C-alpha cells in the first residue's frame, strides 16, 4: 500500500439484511395489520441496526401506517418493544405511536421518557409530540420526569415544547 491510488480491496457496505428489513416494513404496510408477514420472525434474528432500518422504513412511510399495523407489529414483538433498554428501537417505535396517536402506548411512552434522559433519544419524541399537536401530553410527561432530566436536557425539552 505504498503506491498512490485506491486500496486493492473494495469495501462492501451493502448487506442482505438492508433489503430484507425494508421489505419486511413494506409487507406490514401492505397487509394493513390484518396478518403478519410470512417472514416476520426474521426481525428477531436481525442485528439491532437492521431492526432500526425496519422502523426507519415505517417512519418514512408514516402516512400509510395505521393503528392496526402498529398493533400487529406490537403484538408480534411485544418483548422487544417493552424492553426500555432498546433505545434506538424503542425511540422509533414510540415515534410511530405518536404519529398514529396510538393511545395504548402512551403509558410506555411516559415510562420510557422517564427512564432515558439522553436528548438523542427523548428529544425527538418531545419534538414529535409538539409536531402532532400533542403538546399537552408532552408537558404532562415532561412534568412527571423533569427532576430526572439533566438541567441542559430539561432546558432543551422545555424549548421544544414551548416553541
Amino acid at each position: 500500500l505504498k503506491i498512490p491510488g485506491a486500496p486493492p480491496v473494495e469495501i462492501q457496505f451493502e448487506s442482505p439484511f438492508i433489503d430484507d428489513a425494508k421489505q419486511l416494513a413494506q409487507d406490514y404496510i401492505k397487509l394493513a395489520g390484518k396478518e403478519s408477514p410470512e417472514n416476520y420472525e426474521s426481525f428477531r434474528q436481525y442485528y439491532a441496526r437492521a431492526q432500526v432500518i425496519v422502523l426507519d422504513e415505517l417512519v418514512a412511510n408514516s402516512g400509510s401506517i395505521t393503528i392496526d399495523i402498529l398493533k400487529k407489529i406490537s403484538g408480534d414483538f411485544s418483548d422487544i418493544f417493552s424492553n426500555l433498554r432498546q433505545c434506538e428501537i424503542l425511540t422509533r417505535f414510540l415515534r410511530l405511536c405518536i404519529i398514529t396517536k396510538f393511545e395504548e402506548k402512551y403509558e410506555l411512552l411516559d415510562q420510557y421518557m422517564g427512564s432515558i434522559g439522553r436528548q438523542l433519544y427523548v428529544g425527538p419524541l418531545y419534538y414529535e409530540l409538539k409536531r402532532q399537536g400533542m403538546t399537552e401530553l408532552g408537558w404532562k410527561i415532561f412534568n412527571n420526569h423533569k427532576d430526572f432530566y439533566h438541567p441542559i436536557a430539561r432546558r432543551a425539552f422545555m424549548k421544544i415544547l414551548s416553541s
Side-chain angles (χ1 to χ4, degrees):
L1 292 181
K2 296 187 182 209
I3 58 173
V9 176
E10 287 189 33
I11 299 174
Q12 180 64 278
F13 290 103
E14 292 296 316
S15 166
F17 283 115
I18 294 172
D19 293 333
D20 291 346
K22 288 182 178 183
Q23 187 57 52
L24 180 60
Q26 291 301 323
D27 289 346
Y28 268 107
I29 294 169
K30 285 178 196 162
L31 294 170
K34 292 178 177 65
E35 59 184 277
S36 302
E38 287 181 25
N39 64 335
Y40 82 97
E41 281 293 333
S42 64
F43 185 83
R44 294 183 186 288
Q45 279 93 45
Y46 291 166
Y47 52 94
R49 186 67 197 134
Q51 291 177 338
V52 166
I53 290 169
V54 172
L55 294 168
D56 282 344
E57 184 73 12
L58 292 170
V59 169
N61 292 282
S62 61
S64 302
I65 304 300
T66 64
I67 291 175
D68 288 335
I69 293 170
L70 284 182
K71 282 182 179 179
K72 178 53 73 180
I73 293 169
S74 179
D76 288 348
F77 309 112
S78 60
D79 56 324
I80 295 172
F81 295 133
S82 63
N83 183 349
L84 297 179
R85 294 177 187 234
Q86 296 278 1
C87 298
E88 293 283 347
I89 294 164
L90 204 51
T91 295
R92 286 163 175 83
F93 176 70
L94 290 171
R95 185 169 172 216
L96 284 166
C97 293
I98 294 167
I99 291 168
T100 60
K101 298 180 175 44
F102 187 14
E103 294 180 12
E104 289 178 29
K105 296 299 176 183
Y106 289 175
E107 185 178 330
L108 177 62
L109 176 69
D110 186 26
Q111 278 182 311
Y112 176 69
M113 292 173 79
S115 66
I116 304 295
R118 272 193 82 187
Q119 291 182 52
L120 174 69
Y121 302 121
V122 179
L125 297 175
Y126 279 118
Y127 175 77
E128 198 63 56
L129 285 165
K130 174 73 175 178
R131 203 176 82 128
Q132 298 298 324
M134 300 166 70
T135 309
E136 187 176 318
L137 177 60
W139 279 114
K140 180 182 173 200
I141 292 170
F142 175 80
N143 287 325
N144 288 345
H145 307 295
K146 65 184 175 186
D147 294 334
F148 168 72
Y149 298 136
H150 186 277
I152 294 171
R154 188 178 324 138
R155 281 192 299 273
F157 301 152
M158 288 173 66
K159 185 177 179 180
I160 290 168
L161 293 170
S162 298
S163 62

